[in-house]
Amino acid sequence: EDLKHFLIMDEENLLDGDVNFDGTVSVVDVTMITNEILKKENVGFIKPLADMNGDGRISIVDATMITNIILGE
């Protein structure tokens, strides 16, 4: 039996860059964006939270922006 799971997210609980929706922005999120860019399996990846610059694409720019959040820049 093939079951699909859906995550209902409340806008108030969304954190830009938290692509795995664990409540923090971390190197795990950067790794997941990198996996998305490289077309690797990416279970739990939430694409809308990864598009940091709002251009509709997931790229190294988004990964860099998340890295800067982690570094406090």
Side-chain angles (χ1 to χ4, degrees), residues 4-10 14 19-22 44 46 49:
K4 294 188 179 191
H5 298 275
F6 296 93
L7 177 63
I8 299 173
M9 296 180 291
D10 180 353
L14 298 180
V19 303
N20 63 348
F21 201 60
D22 68 353
I46 302 172
L49 297 178

Side-chain angles (χ1 to χ4, degrees), residues 24-61:
T24 63
V25 177
S26 69
V27 68
V28 173
D29 300 298
V30 176
T31 301
M32 291 185 82
I33 286 181
T34 303
N35 287 342
E36 182 71 12
I37 293 166
L38 297 174
K39 308 287 188 220
K40 293 186 176 184
E41 184 175 345
N42 223 0
V43 176
F45 182 77
I46 302 172
K47 193 170 185 173
L49 297 178
D51 185 15
M52 297 296 292
N53 62 355
D55 68 354
R57 300 177 344 183
I58 306 303
S59 70
I60 193 66
V61 173

